[in-house]
Amino acid sequence: MRRRDFIAAFASATVCPIAAIAQQPKKVARIGFLVTGALESPEARATLKAFYQGLREHGYVEGQNAIVEVRAADSKIERFQALARELVGLNPDVIVASNSVAGRAVQRTTTTIPIVVAVMGDPVGDGLVASLARPGGNTTGLTFLGPQLVPKRFALLKEALPMIVRVAALWHPGAYGARTMNDMMNDAERAAQTLGLQLRLSAARGPDELDKAFSAIADEGADALIVFPSPMLFAERKRIVDFAAKLRLPLIAMGREFVELGGLMSYGADITDFFRLSGDYVDKILKGAKPADLPVEQPTKFELLINLKTARLLGMEIPASLLARVDQVIE
């Protein structure tokens, strides 16, 4: 299916009620959207669905009073820069970048077109904004604080599996800026040491390196697997969960999407909903607000999910003290 046909078909399935249409702004808004995964992937579909919902909440309907130009990197972050140039060349009113890496690519391409980054790791550390309260420049958006929660995920994994010793960590070099990556890796090593865990790092710089990383993890004989935050790894979550299931490895990751696919645990903010919330920023910018004056939004809730079906398949019994704190159990 051609990309334009896909977007048209997708948007037509999400038409809003007549009352909402009556309140739509008259000007046709032109919005660029840069997504990580392949356009037809579940990740991109969920992302676009949430974003279109956010637009509809403010009276914008794709194909009626809003035109959304979508570009997909097919999980290859090296494509972000070329796609950013393509979107900037269309001279949209605002560009929505799906994550920090995409946001930096757009920033390098334009200093004038407003940018909304839907899911930032460390906005200040990555150089996307000057501060959370006063972003400055032409960029604002939301942060899911994923890299900062890595030590918490180690603690939850150890609480669920007190006897584990060797933990494999799947990570993506360059997923965020140098400062954010250094802080995340240092925090991970300290957390593992504090908990008495032997940490084994396996890197994948792109989807085509995942099999090599999987092979290294299998050779290590790990007791469990932790997936570090990364837009690419998030987009490739189905492959990662399937690999963990094949090796019978308990897995903890940054988002509920991993657990819904069969991973054991997740802890973090609702990443998909951030794309709905990014519609708030787009609406404010289209009405004249400057990104420099729109504070970066931080999550107010972090969800702990456990897949009990997976736990039973692995022969695990989750401690009652941990189950009592779970936000959602998947049977």
Side-chain angles (χ1 to χ4, degrees):
M1 181 182 291
R2 292 181 303 170
R3 290 178 175 234
R4 185 169 297 278
D5 292 340
F6 175 85
I7 294 298
F10 186 88
S12 66
T14 56
V15 177
C16 70
I18 294 175
I21 294 176
Q23 299 174 5
Q24 295 168 12
K26 293 182 179 180
K27 181 179 181 289
V28 176
R30 294 184 59 84
I31 304 165
F33 194 101
L34 185 51
V35 67
T36 305
L39 192 58
E40 298 81 6
S41 68
E43 178 258 345
R45 291 175 66 91
T47 292
L48 286 167
K49 181 179 179 180
F51 180 62
Y52 285 135
Q53 179 184 343
L55 290 181
R56 293 197 308 276
E57 289 173 1
H58 294 282
Y60 301 94
V61 180
E62 161 67 15
Q64 295 186 23
N65 63 348
I67 297 174
V68 182
E69 292 283 355
V70 182
R71 297 295 183 272
D74 299 332
S75 295
K76 298 177 180 179
I77 64 172
E78 63 271 18
R79 295 191 61 201
F80 277 144
Q81 196 62 63
L83 294 173
R85 287 193 295 268
E86 191 174 328
L87 285 174
V88 169
L90 298 175
N91 194 32
D93 299 305
V94 57
I95 295 176
V96 178
S98 57
N99 53 66
S100 297
V101 184
R104 292 202 307 273
V106 181
Q107 268 192 337
R108 287 192 290 266
T109 310
T110 178
T111 58
T112 56
I113 297 175
I115 304 167
V116 176
V117 185
V119 186
M120 288 186 271
D122 181 355
V124 178
D126 282 344
L128 288 162
V129 300
S131 72
L132 299 183
R134 299 283 295 180
N138 63 327
T139 304
T140 187
L142 305 98
T143 175
F144 78 126
L145 299 176
Q148 296 88 331
L149 296 176
V150 168
K152 177 67 173 179
R153 295 187 189 101
F154 272 105
L156 288 168
L157 186 62
K158 181 67 172 180
E159 185 177 356
L161 300 158
M163 302 304 292
I164 61 172
V165 176
R166 298 180 300 276
V167 176
L170 181 62
W171 71 295
H172 174 198
Y176 304 100
R179 174 177 151 184
T180 301
M181 293 301 297
N182 288 336
D183 288 347
M184 182 171 68
M185 302 307 288
N186 289 335
D187 288 347
E189 291 173 357
R190 283 193 293 267
Q193 185 176 19
T194 299
L195 295 166
L197 299 172
Q198 298 174 12
L199 183 60
R200 299 290 187 268
L201 297 168
S202 290
R205 291 170 175 79
D208 53 352
E209 291 192 11
L210 278 174
D211 286 341
K212 180 180 177 181
F214 291 160
S215 178
I217 291 170
D219 291 343
E220 289 287 349
D223 300 317
L225 172 64
I226 182 169
V227 182
F228 284 8
S230 153
M232 184 274 292
L233 296 179
F234 183 76
E236 297 295 320
R237 57 190 176 273
K238 180 68 165 58
R239 287 178 64 188
I240 296 169
V241 170
D242 288 348
F243 162 75
K246 181 179 179 181
L247 285 191
R248 296 180 58 79
L249 278 177
L251 174 154
I252 187 168
M254 76 288 286
R256 63 166 40 240
E257 291 81 0
F258 285 83
V259 179
E260 291 169 346
L261 288 171
L264 178 64
M265 302 172 63
S266 68
Y267 182 74
D270 187 344
I271 296 173
T272 300
D273 195 51
F274 278 36
F275 291 95
R276 180 186 66 84
L277 296 172
S278 64
D280 297 344
Y281 283 90
V282 169
D283 177 57
K284 290 174 182 176
I285 289 169
L286 291 174
K287 290 177 178 176
K290 304 296 183 184
D293 302 324
L294 295 175
V296 172
E297 184 172 339
Q298 301 180 71
T300 57
K301 179 183 179 182
F302 299 105
E303 302 176 317
L304 172 60
L305 276 76
I306 292 181
N307 191 317
L308 284 185
K309 180 180 179 180
T310 299
R312 288 193 291 269
L313 289 173
L314 294 172
M316 294 174 47
E317 184 173 348
I318 304 296
S321 58
L322 182 58
L323 282 176
R325 307 200 309 275
V326 170
D327 294 286
Q328 183 177 344
V329 170
I330 296 179
E331 298 280 0

